[in-house]
Amino acid sequence: MLKIAFNPIYRHPLPEGHRFPMLKYELIPEQLIYEGTCTEESFFSPAEVEKRWVLGVHDEQYFNDLLNLSIDPKMERRIGFPVSEMLVKRELIITQGTIDCSHFALEYGISMNIAGGTHHAYADKGEGFCLLNDVAVAANYLLENKIVSKILVVDLDVHQGNGTAVIFQNEPRVFTFSMHGKENYPLKKEISDLDIELPTYCEDGQYLSLLYETLPRLIEQEKPQFIFYISGVDILASDKLGKLKVSMEGCRRRDEFVFEQAIKYKIPVVVSMGGGYSPRIADIVEAHCNTFRLAEKMYF
């Protein structure tokens, strides 16, 4: 059975008119259950991550500032959310969700977090709607517990995984691959192990060709034992922040190819959702639900 991390706290209230589409975290599980792709039993509710796993990646001062709600106002603006006790608790639960998904992926081949993909969080700061880096914490958890010894991060959100790149810049056991918009946020890019910068208005053909050429070669070269996949749907042509022209079908084929490679090479994969900012919430939900539909169809 496909196991999916979800907790009602994911549906965090935001000020009226806020540009982040928090509603998607409520609509995605509802849609998956309504259409029969998943059942209530597919979903599990994570607890809060233990402090020691957060501190394996994040600086203690930054983490304590989050817990004490003493984040600098400038950083809070960069994060983009009003920082509150409930928001911090939400991040702790999302992060544990990605850790829990790792265990389910080892058992079933794949597991998914309705949220996560918070790749703009650095060790010592948050930004871009990201407070804690769930993928980095989960990857470090697997390494520290000697569950795996080589991890590949496949970050296909339209924005570079800048925080993840820096966190693992001196960690050879984690290979960071980010394929993102060249002229998109963040304006100052970091250095991943492999960055592919996409031109503005890149369409399906170019996008998929680059992925088809790159991912199998990376897997052959790095021989990862585990994949963390950030499946942002902000690559869509409809996305107001994306600056690309990938169709809904192109986005679906992207996910399908990632799963095909993971299956072919027998590599467990955890999927975190990443971003999506299309004006119509239905477009965001449909694109994300496609990822879950493919996982259910291809693995179970």
Side-chain angles (χ1 to χ4, degrees):
M1 178 189 292
L2 180 60
K3 300 299 288 183
I4 303 167
F6 174 73
N7 184 296
I9 203 171
Y10 288 12
R11 307 179 297 222
H12 184 73
L14 289 174
E16 188 72 30
H18 196 284
R19 65 178 180 162
F20 189 87
M22 196 67 77
L23 183 60
K24 74 177 184 178
Y25 299 118
E26 183 172 346
L27 296 178
I28 292 167
E30 287 181 359
Q31 177 61 31
L32 292 171
I33 291 171
Y34 172 77
E35 70 189 28
T37 297
C38 300
T39 65
E40 295 281 359
E41 289 69 41
S42 304
F43 297 89
F44 69 91
S45 181
E48 294 181 35
V49 64
E50 291 181 36
K51 181 176 181 177
R52 62 179 170 144
W53 300 122
V54 176
L55 296 184
V57 166
H58 290 284
D59 289 358
E60 188 163 18
Q61 182 62 58
Y62 169 59
F63 185 53
N64 286 336
D65 286 347
L66 282 176
L67 295 177
N68 297 326
L69 306 183
S70 55
I71 288 293
D72 179 87
K74 279 187 182 177
M75 187 183 297
E76 186 174 34
R77 285 195 294 275
R78 286 200 300 269
I79 288 170
F81 291 143
V83 176
S84 64
E85 183 179 349
M86 191 63 72
L87 181 71
V88 174
K89 183 175 181 180
R90 175 182 183 269
E91 294 289 315
L92 295 171
I93 289 173
I94 288 171
T95 301
Q96 183 60 41
T98 300
I99 291 175
D100 291 344
C101 282
S102 302
H103 290 287
F104 285 121
L106 288 161
E107 185 175 355
Y108 298 113
I110 191 168
S111 185
M112 309 173 79
N113 197 339
I114 287 282
T118 44
H119 58 174
H120 298 312
Y122 288 73
D124 60 347
K125 62 182 179 179
E127 62 176 59
F129 307 133
C130 303
L131 281 75
L132 300 176
N133 195 312
D134 67 302
V135 165
V137 173
N140 184 68
Y141 169 89
L142 291 178
L143 294 172
E144 287 298 304
N145 284 290
K146 296 182 170 51
I147 297 170
V148 299
S149 58
K150 189 60 187 270
I151 293 169
L152 172 62
V153 177
V154 178
D155 190 337
L156 301 186
D157 190 280
V158 81
H159 304 109
Q160 191 206 32
N162 52 345
T164 316
V166 172
I167 286 169
F168 291 124
Q169 62 186 345
N170 297 314
E171 176 50 87
R173 296 174 296 175
V174 179
F175 189 100
T176 53
F177 164 42
S178 180
M179 194 161 99
H180 52 263
K182 181 177 182 179
E183 297 177 0
N184 213 315
Y185 174 91
L187 293 177
K188 178 188 177 294
K189 304 293 191 289
E190 304 291 356
I191 301 173
S192 310
D193 291 303
L194 176 62
D195 288 298
I196 294 181
E197 295 195 318
L198 302 165
T200 299
Y201 308 129
C202 174
E203 298 184 1
D204 290 18
Q206 184 178 13
Y207 185 96
L208 292 171
S209 290
L210 284 166
L211 181 62
Y212 293 171
E213 291 165 14
T214 304
L215 186 56
R217 176 173 52 82
L218 265 187
I219 292 173
E220 292 280 3
Q221 170 189 306
E222 297 300 319
K223 296 180 171 49
Q225 298 168 320
F226 203 94
I227 290 174
F228 286 98
Y229 173 36
I230 300 176
S231 62
V233 302
D234 40 13
I235 65 168
L236 289 175
S238 59
D239 197 278
K240 60 189 176 186
L241 303 181
K243 300 184 181 178
L244 302 186
K245 280 199 167 182
V246 177
S247 69
M248 186 74 73
E249 174 60 15
C251 189
R252 191 196 69 79
R253 288 171 61 193
R254 173 201 70 174
D255 293 341
E256 184 176 47
F257 186 73
V258 173
F259 295 159
E260 282 175 352
Q261 299 310 300
I263 291 167
K264 176 181 176 181
Y265 290 97
K266 297 181 173 60
I267 307 169
V269 58
V270 165
V271 188
S272 295
M273 287 301 103
Y277 309 94
S278 295
R280 290 179 70 245
I281 191 74
D283 292 333
I284 301 172
V285 171
E286 178 66 11
H288 278 312
C289 284
N290 276 338
T291 313
F292 291 89
R293 291 168 188 142
L294 282 165
E296 178 65 37
K297 177 183 174 184
M298 296 173 73
Y299 281 86
F300 300 97

